[in-house]
Amino acid sequence: MSRDRREDLLASLPRHEAPVVLVDNGSGDGTVDAVRAALPQVTVLPLAENAGARARTIGAGYAGTEFVAFADDDSWWAPGDLARAAEVMRVHPRLAVLNARVLVGPEERLDPLCPELAASPLGTPAHLPGPRLLGFIACAAMVRTEAFLAVGGFDSVVRFPGEEERLSLDLAAAGWDIAYVDAVTVHHHPSSRRHDRAARQAAVLRSRVLTAVLRLPVRDVAATVAEALRAGAPGRRGLLRALPDLPAALRRRRRLPASVLADRRLLAGDPA
């Protein structure tokens, strides 16, 4: 999925080895026409407005393949690793999401989140190819399309960023697994067209609050709101941005199994 990053796309799209579905989130910079002219082999699905991460759900439904590998407009999978990841998914039938390792920039620095994923407190069960997770990095994920769509994919409430949390909780509740596999690699060269830090923090906190309302116990909702308030101006901005979507989140609210909540507490270091 992409929005208003035409030049990034024109650089990254030729790097993909598999057929590409580009879902454009209402770009106003000529992205759709430019990609269609330069890369006619790419399937472009233009949306009239910005659907956030739900664009990936639209793309996955259109693709109709057994697996879908996500990429952002500034990321791509290493040569040969799409096929390698798909084979890992086939060998592990309960694996819904494979999270690859991420190398950042031309210098190929390991994304600082990857060591945390590799050291997941949830361990490495024998039936998985790597540490079990309760979250993932969307631009470095291959999903089992059946499982992804069965739990609704990325939704229209949380949108972006932070969209992975609700999906991960629902996959776990449905009995699916997520694992980190550092044998496959995604390259990420962050775009220069990025929101400033405060704006991104506000957006992340908005998503965190809405995810809590959608799936977490009331005490966790209250704790998430308190966390946002402690974050100062970005947190207050995030809360205000969450308000219009609260009715939809409450309508879709669903209780998670105790086992999933216990895993979440373990990852948070909460003994309660």
Side-chain angles (χ1 to χ4, degrees):
M1 67 175 187
S2 183
R3 177 178 168 83
D4 290 334
R5 288 188 180 176
R6 179 185 60 192
E7 300 309 316
D8 292 303
L9 278 169
L10 293 176
S12 65
L13 285 175
R15 296 177 179 268
H16 298 300
E17 295 181 327
V20 177
V21 177
L22 166 64
V23 186
D24 181 76
N25 264 327
S27 291
D29 66 348
T31 288
V32 171
D33 290 341
V35 171
R36 283 176 170 165
L39 301 162
Q41 71 274 23
V42 173
T43 299
V44 182
L45 303 181
L47 303 184
E49 59 186 10
N50 187 357
R54 192 172 65 85
R56 295 197 194 99
T57 308
I58 294 168
Y62 180 91
T65 50
E66 184 179 8
F67 310 115
V68 169
F70 294 130
D72 286 348
D73 41 38
D74 55 4
S75 73
W76 59 91
W77 290 66
D81 279 6
L82 281 172
R84 187 173 294 112
E87 183 57 29
V88 171
M89 298 286 282
R90 291 190 181 98
V91 172
H92 299 87
R94 295 307 301 172
L95 184 62
V97 183
L98 179 155
N99 193 129
R101 72 168 182 156
V102 182
L103 299 181
V104 181
E107 65 276 20
E108 299 194 336
R109 293 176 288 106
L110 185 65
D111 188 296
L113 188 57
C114 288
E116 295 184 32
L117 301 181
S120 171
L122 300 179
T124 306
H127 69 283
L128 290 181
R132 185 164 72 92
L133 308 176
L134 197 58
F136 61 96
I137 305 169
C139 74
M142 178 176 284
V143 302
R144 190 176 302 273
T145 310
E146 173 192 10
F148 174 75
L149 294 178
V151 298
F154 297 115
D155 61 59
S156 58
V157 176
V158 178
R159 292 199 292 276
F160 177 86
E163 68 274 16
E164 299 94 341
E165 184 180 7
R166 195 281 308 161
L167 177 63
S168 299
L169 294 171
D170 283 357
L171 285 168
W176 292 99
D177 287 309
I178 304 170
Y180 175 68
V181 179
D182 66 2
V184 293
T185 298
V186 164
H187 294 280
H188 180 207
H189 289 200
S191 172
S192 60
R193 294 180 58 86
R194 301 175 71 84
H195 294 299
D196 65 66
R197 184 175 179 180
R200 182 170 179 83
Q201 185 182 8
V204 168
L205 289 169
R206 172 197 168 275
S207 295
R208 197 170 293 166
V209 168
L210 289 169
T211 298
V213 173
L214 281 161
R215 295 292 181 266
L216 299 184
V218 172
R219 74 163 192 166
D220 293 321
V221 176
T224 306
V225 171
E227 176 193 1
L229 290 172
R230 287 195 298 272
R236 292 191 297 272
R237 183 179 173 188
L239 286 171
L240 286 173
R241 290 182 58 191
L243 287 177
D245 295 291
L246 277 179
L250 288 168
R251 287 195 301 271
R252 301 183 189 189
R253 182 171 170 81
R254 187 167 69 244
R255 186 180 183 87
L256 292 169
S259 59
V260 176
L261 292 173
D263 283 345
R264 185 178 177 276
R265 289 194 296 271
L266 177 62
L267 288 170
D270 180 0

